[in-house]
Amino acid sequence: METTAKRFSVLCDLNGRVLKILSDESQSLDPTLPGAMFFSVVAPGDLNKILNFFLEIKENESAIGWEINVKTLKGTETFTFFAGLFDDRIGIAAATTKNGAQALFAELTRINNEQTNLIRAVAKQNAKLQVVSEAPGTSYYEELSRLNNDLVNIQRELAKKNRELYELNKLKNQFLGIASHDLRSPIGVILSYSEFMLNEPGGDDQEELIRRIHSAGQFMLGLVDNLLDIANIESGQLEINFSNEDLGKVLSEVMIMHEKFARTKSMRITFTEPVIPVYALIDRPKIEQVITNLLTNAMKYSFPNTIIVISLEVENGAARISVKDQGQGIREEEVQKLFKPFQKTSTRSTAGEKSTGLGLAIVKKIVEAHQGEVGVNSELGKGSEFFFTLPCK
């Protein structure tokens, strides 16, 4: 019944530290809680939920109807939470019933509004009596309003930073998931084949086993490199060192490096350097990485006896570089997954090559760091064209 509902209310700072227990009729909380983080009263299994609860408060200025398990003095119980931003404080009301929490939060809001109105009334009265000497014509009330606006801006910036922190934490968890999942298989291959070679020294299959071990090692190295790249990019540590480069020569050299691999899959790469050189300010190693990723994908998803065409054109003062294949193409509904970390389509490689789901995300971040854009044109069964632009010098 509603009369037996346990409930409490607290006042926290913007970081979640308890400033005061406003009410606790059921004596659910430790009286020494003020000064500690509010997270300490939440059951371990709901720590991620309480973090998202605070993020919602800071982003939307309120959070309503959250059910969170709380460690009370009498054991763990489920409370419904209501909360809101009261200037530079967070007011939280919780009860074991939703109606109880809602009523307590309404009372908390009413008291805060009364106090706020009182402060404004006093400030308005002072404004009539005295003018701020440093700024003629500016009242105390106006000064308080300015300071309040500054505080609101700081709160919004803090909410933004907390959201960024939340996204980075989610990305970190994705890293761990990818690492544990995608590294387990090649590590198993290396261990199994190496153990077989130790038990059967000099066997006829040793060359093939070594080739497979090498392939597994290459995949692991590529995955680790991609994880490090995307981590540096997302944390804002992508450094760009510009130099004026002839894009035609850059493309030619990258193509030459990949021709041998293309021949192993009975493919051909073509590129014709433009008669008039096209120059752009680029970080050459990173643009080479972009082209390499696009070329590798084209070879990975194309069939033997096909051609991959690299092109370089100038359109509206920007260089447009594209890699076009005659591969399988991509389903229209899956195109939106491209260029996002850890996203993979249903298209499968033609020789069993593995994908980390990070290559195109890295491409997009590098190109955007050069003030360029990326895109794709694809038709299922006919192939794909991946392209990007760079401002010309």
Side-chain angles (χ1 to χ4, degrees):
M1 295 177 61
E2 187 64 31
T3 55
T4 62
K6 296 179 181 179
R7 59 186 202 169
F8 62 81
S9 60
V10 297
L11 194 65
C12 299
D13 64 18
L14 296 177
N15 295 318
R17 190 176 302 280
V18 178
L19 300 174
K20 185 179 181 181
I21 298 177
L22 299 175
S23 65
D24 186 16
E25 301 165 356
S26 56
Q27 297 182 338
S28 300
L29 303 178
D30 186 341
T32 64
L33 182 61
M37 299 300 292
F38 185 77
F39 302 97
S40 62
V41 307
V42 175
D46 281 359
L47 289 179
N48 190 52
K49 184 181 288 188
I50 194 66
L51 171 63
N52 291 330
F53 175 73
F54 271 89
L55 288 175
E56 181 171 330
I57 297 170
K58 294 174 181 178
E59 184 173 2
N60 302 323
E61 299 186 357
S62 66
I64 296 173
W66 284 63
E67 291 189 354
I68 300 173
N69 291 314
V70 175
K71 296 182 296 183
T72 70
L73 295 177
K74 299 177 182 179
T76 300
E77 295 185 77
T78 302
F79 281 70
T80 299
F81 279 70
F82 285 68
L85 273 179
F86 299 148
D87 295 326
D88 60 343
R89 301 288 187 268
I90 295 175
I92 298 175
T96 50
T97 65
K98 184 175 182 179
N99 288 340
Q102 190 170 8
L104 184 60
F105 182 69
E107 178 66 12
L108 191 64
T109 303
R110 183 187 64 78
I111 294 173
N112 177 75
N113 289 340
E114 289 178 355
Q115 292 177 342
T116 300
N117 290 335
L118 179 60
I119 292 173
R120 288 176 177 171
V122 172
K124 187 175 182 180
Q125 184 64 26
N126 286 338
K128 296 178 180 179
L129 300 175
Q130 188 172 0
V131 175
V132 179
S133 58
E134 293 79 5
T138 301
S139 68
Y140 278 129
Y141 179 70
E142 290 172 335
E143 182 68 9
L144 286 172
S145 297
R146 184 189 66 78
L147 293 174
N148 183 67
N149 289 335
D150 289 345
L151 182 59
V152 170
N153 291 333
I154 292 172
Q155 290 173 343
R156 288 174 178 170
E157 184 65 22
L158 181 60
K160 178 183 177 183
K161 294 298 181 184
N162 279 323
R163 173 58 62 180
E164 291 174 356
L165 181 61
Y166 171 74
E167 293 298 329
L168 287 173
N169 185 62
K170 186 169 69 173
L171 187 65
K172 177 207 69 176
N173 291 335
Q174 288 178 312
F175 285 169
L176 294 176
I178 288 291
S180 62
H181 179 271
D182 285 0
L183 289 177
R184 183 181 292 113
S185 178
I187 289 174
V189 169
I190 290 173
L191 292 176
S192 298
Y193 289 164
S194 59
E195 182 178 349
F196 180 83
M197 292 173 64
L198 289 172
N199 293 332
E200 299 287 340
D204 295 336
D205 297 330
Q206 291 235 356
E207 183 176 344
E208 175 63 15
L209 295 178
I210 292 173
R211 185 187 67 79
R212 294 187 181 184
I213 289 174
H214 181 259
S215 176
Q218 281 187 317
F219 172 77
M220 287 193 297
L221 179 60
L223 175 58
V224 171
D225 285 343
N226 282 342
L227 287 171
L228 290 174
D229 283 342
I230 202 72
N232 286 335
I233 290 170
E234 293 297 338
S235 62
Q237 297 179 11
L238 178 64
E239 294 184 1
I240 302 295
N241 299 307
F242 290 103
S243 60
N244 192 28
E245 300 288 346
D246 182 339
L247 295 179
K249 294 191 179 300
V250 173
L251 290 169
S252 292
E253 292 179 15
V254 175
M255 181 192 72
I256 291 171
M257 287 190 296
H258 289 82
E259 281 182 324
K260 181 178 179 180
F261 180 68
R263 286 196 296 270
T264 63
K265 294 193 69 174
S266 301
M267 299 175 189
R268 186 159 59 92
I269 305 174
T270 68
F271 171 65
T272 302
E273 283 192 44
V275 176
I276 301 176
V278 179
Y279 286 92
L281 287 174
I282 62 172
D283 185 316
R284 179 163 181 159
K286 288 184 172 59
I287 293 300
E288 288 178 347
Q289 182 180 2
V290 167
I291 302 165
T292 294
N293 281 348
L294 297 183
L295 268 178
T296 301
N297 277 354
M299 290 184 284
K300 186 183 297 182
Y301 297 105
S302 295
F303 294 104
N305 303 313
T306 57
I307 299 174
I308 296 170
V309 179
I310 303 173
S311 64
L312 169 61
E313 301 172 341
V314 177
E315 298 178 353
N316 300 320
R320 184 184 187 275
I321 299 167
S322 72
V323 175
K324 187 174 184 179
D325 62 52
Q326 298 172 332
Q328 305 167 66
I330 303 163
R331 296 180 184 277
E332 183 178 352
E333 64 271 18
E334 294 182 332
V335 170
Q336 60 182 355
K337 292 183 178 181
L338 301 173
F339 305 109
K340 296 180 180 179
F342 309 109
Q343 297 293 315
K344 300 179 184 180
T345 67
S346 59
T347 307
R348 294 291 174 259
S349 61
T350 55
E353 300 99 330
K354 295 182 179 180
S355 172
T356 64
L358 291 170
L360 290 178
I362 294 172
V363 164
K364 185 174 187 293
K365 294 294 185 180
I366 291 176
V367 170
E368 288 178 345
H370 284 75
Q371 307 303 312
E373 298 179 350
V374 296
V376 59
N377 298 312
S378 185
E379 187 175 352
L380 192 63
K382 293 188 178 182
S384 302
E385 179 195 28
F386 285 84
F387 62 88
F388 64 96
T389 63
L390 294 170
C392 288
K393 185 174 173 13

